[in-house]
Amino acid sequence: MHAIKIESADFASPAVQALVAENLADLSARYGGGTGDDTPLTAADFTPPNGAFLVAISDGRLIASAGWRRHGGDAELKRMFTVAAARGRGVARRMLAAVEQSAREAGCKRVILETGNRQPEAIALYESAGYERIEDFGFYAGHVGVLSYAKAL
């Protein structure tokens, strides 16, 4: 893998939507059936000042994504994903740091997120990056296996 560049992207663009589809397929495989994540999202959620959507690019290909949208004074992390071929190389950690910086610059006080108990890699990343468990919130609040986290910015 060559140099990795992280930049803002249009959530509605075909290339981003193809990566999001891969993310949802991964979630569907982990949790069984469905679309993987039924949380209502629109491109406007990731358009400043409402939020931002970032991608990592290597050799002209999108290899990771992460976005945030406003949730009160917080930034809610959504669509954090790294393609299988790029995992284990620190890409997700770089993406998480870029989201945190973007949210901080937009005046958010913390990043919050929902993940699931069948995503051990994500849980390990968030906990090692200083995220702590909080009361469940959002679309999947109260669902079995949901884990919610937050980190002050």
Side-chain angles (χ1 to χ4, degrees):
M1 184 176 302
H2 295 90
I4 297 168
K5 180 180 176 184
I6 296 174
E7 62 184 43
S8 296
D10 179 357
F11 183 73
S13 78
V16 168
Q17 285 301 301
L19 187 60
V20 167
E22 190 174 341
N23 177 196
L24 295 176
D26 179 75
L27 292 172
S28 182
R30 290 174 190 256
Y31 294 99
T35 61
D37 183 352
D38 294 324
T39 305
L41 293 174
T42 68
D45 290 336
F46 302 112
T47 303
N50 302 326
F53 200 80
L54 306 173
V55 294
I57 303 167
S58 179
D59 293 329
R61 299 186 60 221
L62 300 186
I63 60 166
S65 67
W68 67 270
R69 65 179 180 176
R70 289 194 187 271
H71 187 96
D74 297 329
E76 181 185 7
L77 179 69
K78 298 302 298 178
R79 299 296 180 253
M80 178 87 174
F81 178 70
T82 303
V83 299
R87 292 179 186 160
R89 298 185 175 136
V91 177
R93 189 167 301 280
R94 287 183 58 195
M95 290 298 294
L96 187 58
V99 164
E100 291 170 356
Q101 182 64 29
S102 173
R104 186 180 300 108
E105 289 172 357
C108 295
K109 300 302 179 201
R110 66 182 185 159
V111 173
I112 60 174
L113 64 94
E114 293 177 305
T115 191
N117 62 355
R118 295 185 185 173
Q119 294 168 263
E121 315 93 317
I123 294 165
L125 170 65
Y126 300 138
E127 290 180 349
S128 72
Y131 285 75
E132 297 179 350
R133 289 289 306 277
I134 60 169
E135 183 177 334
D136 290 340
F137 71 94
F139 189 79
Y140 287 101
H143 283 67
V144 173
V146 170
L147 305 169
S148 298
Y149 288 87
K151 178 181 177 181
L153 295 176

